[in-house]
Amino acid sequence: MSNQYQPRDTKDALRYLEKLANRYLKAPLTPDLLAYNQKQINYLRQQVVPIAQYQEHNQKRAQQAKQMAEQLELWQTRRLAGLQVPDKMHHFQLVSTPAIKYHHQKNKTQQPGSYRAQKR
C-alpha cells in the first residue's frame, strides 16, 4: 500500500485496492506489475485480514479480504499461463464485462416501412 493514502477502516482499504486493481488488470504483464500485484496480495493477507478479524471483529470483511487476495492470485496465475482472465474487479471479485448489446427500435406501424424505406 502506498504511504500517501491511509484508509480509515478495512472496508475503505478494500475499496481502494479494488480501484487500484481495476487500473492494472488489463495492463501488459511486466515484472514490476507482478511484483506490485504480489505486494497487494501480501497487504491484504498480512494487514487487512487481521485488522478485520481482531480489531473490528468483522468476519465477513475478513472473508472478503481473503477472497480478494485469492482472486488476485488467480488472476496472476491465469495471466502468466496465457489463459483468458476477467478484466474487472467488482464487489471484490473478478468479473468479465459483458458485450455491449445494442437496442434497435422497430417501426411502430404494422406496415413494412415508410415509402422512403422501401427497396426499389
Side-chain angles (χ1 to χ4, degrees):
M1 200 75 191
S2 65
N3 293 335
Q4 294 87 13
Y5 182 74
Q6 293 297 321
R8 293 175 303 218
D9 57 358
T10 54
K11 185 175 185 179
D12 193 29
L14 286 173
R15 286 180 177 170
Y16 186 70
L17 286 176
E18 184 177 65
K19 285 181 189 177
L20 291 176
N22 281 332
R23 288 184 185 172
Y24 72 80
L25 288 178
K26 298 178 195 173
L29 278 183
T30 61
D32 292 336
L33 180 66
L34 294 175
Y36 183 74
N37 187 50
Q38 194 61 42
K39 182 180 172 183
Q40 302 297 350
I41 293 169
N42 291 337
Y43 175 76
L44 282 166
R45 288 193 174 141
Q46 295 171 359
Q47 292 184 5
V48 176
V49 172
I51 289 174
Q53 284 180 337
Y54 302 117
Q55 288 181 3
E56 295 179 357
H57 303 289
N58 193 336
Q59 294 300 319
K60 181 181 177 187
R61 197 162 300 144
Q63 187 64 29
Q64 287 175 336
K66 287 178 189 176
Q67 188 176 14
M68 186 174 178
E70 290 171 3
Q71 292 285 312
L72 288 174
E73 268 190 346
L74 176 68
W75 172 83
Q76 183 173 337
T77 55
R78 293 190 73 180
R79 189 81 190 264
L80 286 171
L83 300 173
Q84 183 71 23
V85 293
D87 55 353
K88 185 179 178 185
M89 186 164 280
H90 185 65
H91 294 297
F92 318 121
Q93 298 232 354
L94 289 173
V95 293
S96 296
T97 54
I100 298 173
K101 294 181 182 178
Y102 294 100
H103 298 281
H104 299 284
Q105 266 191 333
K106 298 177 183 174
N107 290 340
K108 295 181 181 179
T109 62
Q110 298 295 332
Q111 298 172 354
S114 67
Y115 171 74
R116 294 183 183 201
Q118 292 178 354
K119 290 185 180 179
R120 294 183 183 185

